[in-house]
Amino acid sequence: MTATETQPHEQRERRRVRGGPLRDVVGLVLLPLPLLVAMVPVSFAGGGTRRWFGRGESQRADAQAAKDAAAAAFYELDTAHRDLRISIETITAVDTSPAARKAAEDYEGFGRRIDEVSQQYITAVDSHDLDRDDLDGAAVARARADLTRAREELDRVRSELERFAQGLGPLLQTAETQLARLAPAVERARQALLAASNALDAARARGLRADDLATRLAALGPELTRLNQGAGQHGVQETIRRADDMLRKAEGVRAEAERLPEKAAEIDKRLVSLRTRAQAITTRAGKVDPVLSELRRRYSAACWQDLQQVPEQAAQSVQQAEVKLREAQQARDEQRWADATSLLATVRALLDGTDEAVSAAGDRLRRLDAVSFDRQKEVERTRFAVRDAQRLAMAGRSTPDPRHAGPLDEAVARLDRAVAGLEGRHPDWWHFLTETEAVRETAARVVQEIRGARGGAGGGTG
């Protein structure tokens, strides 16, 4: 063991303490310079330096919070701007009213203001680097003030933008309603066009050409092209109008194509029916001459002179009807359905008139026979109609209204003259019948006027 090792422990500790500071200083001098600089804050981290460093970090944190708030405001304004742009595009796509045009102009003004405040925000962010180590307190304060001011401007413009967007509510609702109609309207038009084409094909498969329907359907082709070009090229309202028009026309073609077989069958049935009726009228017209002979033999000329031309007129009318029937048959064979229908209507009108004229001769003879056998029945029937009108005219009154009393008094006198005219060897029975019928018509007209004046209440008392 050496002498040093044998020294007491306390002596060694005293020597180490006495030589410690000197060795520390020497050690520091011998350290590399960068490491020495790095250790300075640690060596002099007294109370004053630590307090200044804490205050700077707090200011930097406040400035960073202002920057984050400004970024959030910038994002919210951008989102509100994009939402508003969608609303304006929706409105202008549908609405061309002055209100819609003004909304679009106001939106453009907002765009310019948004560009201004956005540029202010970007400038404030670019002007201040909060991550710099040497950023002093004044720079941090300026950064916080600029960023706070930028956020306030962004928030203010966003608030104005939101109020403007709320004011667009009615315009936007109308536009969205129109847009909601667009796609269904276009789809309905396309489906209707397809259904019309299918119905036309089905009719042709049954041997029906339907050329007019094919022409109408082909005319919708250019409209379908415009419809497929969309609302972006032609506008929403115009596209909806075109779709609705196509729907109506296509459904018309489809309905007519589906009815075409039924229409052909109906025309065939009417052709057969009218031919049969023409033959029947021809047969009945051949019996008019014997009826006229009977009228001439038993009654005065005034009772039958107007019927003299019935046989000849009936033959001419039936002949014309037969010509039109042949034309209608040709139109049906050529599938000119409108022409066939029109010609058949002409045939029916001719046969109706002829039928009435042929029936008139036999009806005249029956009526003349009846009245000549018992005139009193016709007279009583007519007097009852007049008395019924008179009672109604007096109901609830002490004197009748002159507007009603005059025609009724004249009707009574007219009936009396008609009865008196039957005196003689060859009375004009037909004149008598026409007079009594005219008297009854007068009484019926007065009754209708009275009931109309009384609000439809009341009626005959007999």
Side-chain angles (χ1 to χ4, degrees):
M1 180 176 295
T2 62
T4 305
E5 292 175 342
T6 60
Q7 292 177 350
H9 175 71
E10 292 80 6
Q11 294 178 358
R12 292 198 303 271
E13 278 299 311
R14 284 195 295 270
R15 285 197 299 271
R16 185 183 65 79
V17 172
R18 285 196 299 269
L22 179 60
R23 287 195 298 271
D24 291 343
V25 171
V26 173
L28 289 175
V29 171
L30 296 177
L31 283 174
L33 183 59
L35 183 58
L36 179 62
V37 172
M39 293 179 65
V40 169
V42 177
S43 300
F44 297 95
T49 301
R50 190 175 295 112
R51 288 193 299 273
W52 181 91
F53 185 78
R55 184 167 58 252
E57 284 303 307
S58 175
Q59 291 176 341
R60 191 189 294 262
D62 291 342
Q64 184 63 48
K67 181 179 179 180
D68 294 342
F74 178 78
Y75 175 77
E76 291 173 358
L77 177 59
D78 182 66
T79 301
H81 188 205
R82 283 187 283 109
D83 292 344
L84 180 60
R85 182 174 66 250
I86 294 172
S87 298
I88 290 294
E89 289 175 352
T90 301
I91 292 170
T92 55
V94 175
D95 196 346
T96 58
S97 66
R101 290 196 296 270
K102 184 178 185 303
E105 293 172 359
D106 293 343
Y107 169 77
E108 293 298 329
F110 270 110
R112 290 188 293 271
R113 296 177 61 189
I114 290 171
D115 290 342
E116 293 175 1
V117 296
S118 297
Q119 187 58 48
Q120 293 174 9
Y121 161 73
I122 294 171
T123 301
V125 171
D126 292 344
S127 300
H128 304 287
D129 184 4
L130 298 180
D131 295 328
R132 285 174 50 193
D133 292 332
D134 60 345
L135 195 64
D136 58 19
V140 172
R142 286 194 301 272
R144 178 184 178 186
D146 291 347
L147 291 168
T148 299
R149 187 163 47 250
R151 176 189 58 78
E152 291 173 349
E153 286 297 306
L154 291 168
D155 287 341
R156 180 179 59 80
V157 174
R158 178 177 56 80
S159 296
E160 295 177 1
L161 196 68
E162 290 174 348
R163 285 194 296 271
F164 175 70
Q166 291 175 357
L168 297 178
L171 289 175
L172 183 60
Q173 183 177 4
T174 301
E176 288 175 343
T177 300
Q178 291 291 319
L179 286 174
R181 289 183 53 204
L182 178 62
V186 171
E187 182 61 23
R188 284 195 300 268
R190 289 172 178 161
Q191 292 300 321
L193 200 61
L194 178 61
S197 179
N198 292 338
L200 192 58
D201 290 342
R204 285 171 168 170
R206 299 182 65 170
L208 302 171
R209 291 195 305 272
D211 294 338
D212 57 333
L213 295 179
T215 300
R216 287 163 55 186
L217 189 62
L220 296 178
E223 290 298 295
L224 178 61
T225 300
R226 296 186 185 93
L227 193 67
N228 290 333
Q229 288 171 345
Q233 182 169 345
H234 299 287
V236 174
Q237 290 182 336
E238 176 62 19
T239 301
I240 291 176
R241 184 206 62 77
R242 179 173 284 112
D244 290 343
D245 185 61
M246 280 188 60
L247 175 66
R248 177 178 55 81
K249 292 179 179 178
E251 285 185 340
V253 171
R254 176 196 57 76
E256 291 188 37
E258 290 177 349
R259 286 198 304 266
L260 206 51
E262 180 182 349
K263 179 184 289 187
E266 180 183 352
I267 288 177
D268 291 339
K269 182 178 179 180
R270 290 180 64 189
L271 281 166
V272 173
S273 175
L274 289 173
R275 286 195 192 100
T276 302
R277 187 180 180 193
Q279 294 170 359
I281 290 176
T282 299
T283 301
R284 290 176 55 216
K287 300 178 181 179
V288 173
D289 281 332
V291 173
L292 289 176
S293 296
E294 187 69 15
L295 286 170
R296 285 192 289 266
R297 184 179 66 82
R298 298 172 53 188
Y299 299 101
S300 63
C303 294
W304 47 262
Q305 278 182 334
D306 59 320
L307 300 176
Q308 283 291 91
Q309 305 302 320
V310 168
E312 182 180 355
Q313 291 173 351
Q316 292 176 353
S317 296
V318 171
Q319 185 178 4
Q320 292 176 6
E322 290 174 342
V323 171
K324 295 298 181 183
L325 276 172
R326 288 192 292 271
E327 293 177 359
Q329 181 64 62
Q330 183 178 358
R332 188 262 176 264
D333 294 340
E334 296 173 357
Q335 298 189 22
R336 293 183 286 109
W337 309 111
D339 292 342
T341 301
S342 176
L343 287 166
L344 289 175
T346 301
V347 171
R348 181 173 181 176
L350 285 169
L351 295 181
D352 284 347
T354 305
D355 195 4
E356 184 177 350
V358 170
S359 299
D363 182 66
R364 179 80 56 88
L365 180 59
R366 284 191 298 274
R367 292 184 65 187
L368 291 174
D369 285 347
V371 73
S372 63
F373 177 76
D374 184 8
R375 73 180 74 176
Q376 194 60 33
K377 184 176 181 179
E378 180 72 11
V379 172
E380 288 302 323
R381 176 188 175 195
T382 306
R383 290 193 188 281
F384 176 84
V386 175
R387 285 196 300 269
D388 192 57
Q390 289 173 334
R391 284 195 296 270
L392 182 62
M394 289 298 297
R397 304 178 62 95
S398 58
T399 57
D401 190 324
R403 293 174 299 175
H404 306 143
L408 292 177
D409 290 344
E410 174 57 27
V412 172
R414 190 174 182 179
L415 178 59
D416 291 341
R417 289 193 298 271
V419 172
L422 296 178
E423 302 299 329
R425 294 183 56 189
H426 300 288
D428 188 349
W429 293 106
W430 184 241
H431 175 73
F432 172 73
L433 287 175
T434 56
E435 284 294 286
T436 54
E437 184 174 358
V439 169
R440 290 194 297 272
E441 289 177 353
T442 298
R445 185 174 64 252
V446 170
V447 169
Q448 184 177 5
E449 290 176 356
I450 294 173
R451 287 175 175 170
R454 297 177 182 177
T461 59

